[in-house]
Amino acid sequence: MTNRIASPILQPVTLGGLQLKNRIVMAPMTRSRADDNGIQPDYAAEYYAQRAGAGLIVTEATNISAQARGYTRTPGIWNEDQITAWKRVTQAVHQREGKIFLQLWHTGRMSHPDMHDGGLPVAPSAIKPHGQIRVHEGMKDFVTPRALRTDEIPLIVEDYRRGAENAKAAGFDGVEIHSANNYLLEQFIRDSTNVRTDRYGGSLENRLRFPLEVVQAVIDVWGAERVGIRISPVTTTPGETPLDSDTMRTFGTYVAALSNLGLLYVHEIEGVTQQSREEVSDVSFAALRRAFRGAYIANNQYTLDLAEQTLAAGDADLFSIGRPFIANPDLVARLASGAPLAEAPKAYWYGGDSTGYSDWPTMS
Ligand code: PHB
């Protein structure tokens, strides 16, 4: 076991005005332990606090409204009871001197009528995703969503604003806007899922309008220096969602606009979400990174070695790690000491209770 305690990745760093313990970010991970009202269980506070060795924690994706929901047992941030439950989480993380951002989510077409009392999920356009989604009774086929009316879109922007305000009331250090993985924001961006003919579809400027209105609303609440965003330009899951017809132009323009708004960071899934880095297409993540002035959080199968090389090359500032945090609450300490990592069986990823969630031991 090699001691890596002196690794530059593990030294304290400043992100905007925030002092972080190190350059490791705990990536957002859906764990599906909330109740049917989107309220986190008490043991979620313990789960997140156990992982406060990360420089920054980004919470699991959190629904900004009832309409935003896609998956069973995912948390919400649209009412007082949800805020109260999240307060327990932020207090526990802060007690361990951690920093935590809430991830703001709307699933759009990645949803099911079972989540909406039989009503249809909403999306930019009525295009059905392929495959299935986890709802209360297990996996069910996606349906064709209902295309949003133009006058409904500003109401969703307001839902994001309220989510951002509620995150503040819950004591978070900032928020991350979920603009990745083919959920609502990305559905507007890609021409494969947005065939609207109003001011929210068609030209690239129109397709970026809604996501940028959301970003502006969240900035109004938090200030740009406490707002990050997550993107995944080449991910096709869920729904077997086709890529945009011009990924580099579309995402290059988006990232440049986000940069001009002064966002704290862009958090990018380099490759296909939950798949290997090898499957990256001809998209240049380095070029997208250079289009952004703020911090860059790189994600996808980073090891300490790869993170050190990437940092030395100036290609990223922080590195987010997902699945290894499931079974290794003290992941950063294990990386520092070179200790072996535990593996979480997939059965524990989604759903269930505190077992396989907040009961993983630290190194002995
Ligand atoms: C999921 O619940 O499977 C999920 C949620 C958010 C993501 C990706 C996957 O960004």
Side-chain angles (χ1 to χ4, degrees):
M1 293 200 309
T2 338
N3 182 316
R4 303 290 292 275
I5 202 147
S7 168
I9 304 299
L10 305 181
Q11 308 312 309
V13 64
T14 311
L15 173 67
L18 296 168
Q19 291 296 322
L20 309 186
K21 293 174 184 174
N22 52 64
R23 294 176 185 266
I24 302 285
V25 177
M26 176 174 159
M29 282 183 287
T30 292
R31 301 301 308 278
S32 310
R33 264 74 174 179
D35 70 14
D36 287 344
N37 297 313
I39 296 170
Q40 289 284 40
D42 287 342
Y43 55 79
E46 190 53 23
Y47 162 77
Y48 280 110
Q50 289 163 348
R51 288 154 181 79
L56 175 67
I57 294 170
V58 182
T59 69
E60 64 208 276
T62 299
N63 302 301
I64 54 155
S65 63
Q67 183 200 61
R69 290 174 304 166
Y71 301 78
T72 187
R73 298 191 62 187
T74 50
I77 190 71
W78 71 86
N79 67 38
E80 284 300 322
D81 291 341
Q82 294 163 350
I83 296 172
T84 302
W86 277 120
K87 263 187 200 157
R88 290 195 289 269
V89 171
T90 60
Q91 282 164 1
V93 169
H94 289 152
Q95 250 157 35
R96 307 254 185 119
E97 288 166 359
K99 296 279 192 290
I100 182 166
F101 276 32
L102 182 77
Q103 199 194 46
L104 298 170
W105 195 27
H106 191 308
T107 61
R109 72 182 192 138
M110 304 306 177
S111 185
H112 189 276
D114 285 11
M115 303 300 294
H116 306 285
D117 301 319
L120 289 176
V122 298
S125 301
I127 302 171
K128 183 167 127 39
H130 296 282
Q132 296 194 315
I133 184 149
R134 276 188 327 276
V135 291
H136 305 310
E137 291 159 14
M139 301 299 288
K140 288 204 178 171
D141 290 345
F142 282 118
V143 301
T144 303
R146 172 176 77 74
L148 286 159
R149 294 189 313 272
T150 307
D151 65 346
E152 290 178 283
I153 294 173
L155 304 176
I156 302 179
V157 175
E158 291 314 304
D159 287 342
Y160 274 94
R161 189 188 307 275
R162 181 189 55 209
E165 283 163 354
N166 289 349
K168 208 168 211 185
F172 284 96
D173 298 294
V175 290
E176 178 175 288
I177 297 166
H178 193 339
S179 184
N181 296 336
N182 298 302
Y183 295 114
L184 186 67
L185 268 54
E186 192 156 36
Q187 289 160 30
F188 271 86
I189 295 168
R190 292 190 189 184
D191 56 11
S192 63
T193 42
N194 181 350
V195 295
R196 301 179 70 88
T197 53
D198 64 358
R199 57 200 294 269
Y200 292 101
S203 67
L204 177 55
E205 187 187 1
N206 281 356
R207 283 182 281 123
L208 295 179
R209 187 181 311 281
F210 169 66
L212 291 173
E213 286 178 355
V214 167
V215 171
Q216 187 58 58
V218 175
I219 288 176
D220 290 347
V221 175
W222 277 93
E225 69 287 354
R226 291 298 177 102
V227 179
I229 195 160
R230 193 164 204 238
I231 62 172
S232 60
V234 301
T235 287
T236 52
T237 56
E240 294 177 37
T241 307
L243 298 188
D244 185 79
S245 64
D246 191 347
T247 295
M248 279 312 284
R249 172 168 175 264
T250 293
F251 283 86
T253 305
Y254 189 36
V255 166
L258 297 170
S259 183
N260 286 338
L261 290 170
L263 276 203
L264 177 61
Y265 68 75
V266 63
H267 181 181
E268 199 153 316
I269 303 161
E270 299 173 336
V272 179
T273 307
Q274 294 195 357
Q275 292 176 34
S276 86
R277 299 184 59 80
E278 273 45 75
E279 292 177 54
V280 178
S281 68
D282 55 0
V283 169
S284 165
F285 292 101
L288 291 178
R289 194 264 166 278
R290 283 192 296 273
F292 188 73
R293 274 191 297 277
Y296 180 86
I297 306 180
N299 174 245
N300 202 0
Q301 322 273 330
Y302 273 90
T303 59
L304 203 48
D305 284 330
L306 182 58
E308 285 182 7
Q309 289 162 28
T310 308
L311 181 69
D315 284 340
D317 304 296
L318 297 141
F319 301 87
S320 78
I321 301 183
R323 278 172 276 167
F325 264 111
I326 295 180
N328 302 279
D330 54 345
L331 179 64
V332 171
R334 292 194 202 203
L335 295 176
S337 66
L341 300 185
E343 288 243 7
K346 201 166 179 182
Y348 291 138
W349 292 7
Y350 305 115
D353 51 24
S354 59
T355 306
Y357 178 73
S358 52
D359 62 353
W360 290 97
T362 52
M363 293 183 281
S364 45

